[in-house]
Amino acid sequence: DAELDLHGTGRVRLAEIGTLASESGLSPDTSGFRGQVMTYAVEQPGEVEFLLEAAVKHGATVLKPAKKSLFAGVSAVFRSPDGSVWKLAAPRRKDSGPLGDPPQPTETVVILGVTSPKASRDFYVAMGMQVDRDYGDKFIDFALVPATCRLGLMTRKSLAKDAGVDAAGSGFGASV
C-alpha cells in the first residue's frame, strides 16, 4: 500500500486490487478495460518518453507508444502492472529546454468512461462541481480545484479507443 503525491495536483492511493476491493465490499475479479484512464500531463515530449520508459522498467505494458498528434503535442498510453490505464501527455511537439528531473505534472486528470456524459455531468453538478468544458457526449470536464485531480467524462467506447484498448470489461474497477 502506498500513496503517490502528484506534486500538488493531487494524490493517488496505490494498493493491491484485493485490498481495495475488500475495503469496498466487492470482489477483486475484473477483466478487460476498467472504464477509467488516469492522465498525467507534463510540459515536454521528452518527459513523456522519460516517464514511459520508467513505467516500462517497472512492469508497465505500452498500449500506445509516444507519438506526435496531428493537432496537439505528444502522448503515450500504458497499462500499469495493477491493470490501470495511464495516459502521458505534453502540449508541445518539441522539447523547449531541459527536462524536469523528475518531470512534474502540470495537471492530472481522471477520465471516466460513462454511458452518457451529459447525464453524468448533471450528477456531478448536483454534487457541487462546476463544469469547465462541455462538448456534449464527446467530452466534459470540471473546473480544476487547486491541489486536486481534474475529472473528465467521455463515453466508455470513446475513452477505450483513445487509450488503445477494447471497451469490453467487467468487475471491480479499482477506483475508490
Side-chain angles (χ1 to χ4, degrees), residues 27-41:
S27 167
D29 297 334
T30 186
S31 67
F33 182 49
R34 294 182 177 158
Q36 71 262 352
V37 172
M38 181 70 161
T39 300
Y40 194 88

Side-chain angles (χ1 to χ4, degrees), residues 16 70 86 89-90 100 105 152 155 163:
E16 292 293 324
L70 184 59
W86 287 73
T155 63

Side-chain angles (χ1 to χ4, degrees), residues 116-128 131 134 140 142 153:
S116 169
K118 287 181 186 179
S120 294
R121 173 201 58 212
D122 295 344
F123 169 80
Y124 289 106
V125 167
M127 299 297 289
V131 173
D134 185 340
I140 297 171
F142 296 88
L153 306 170

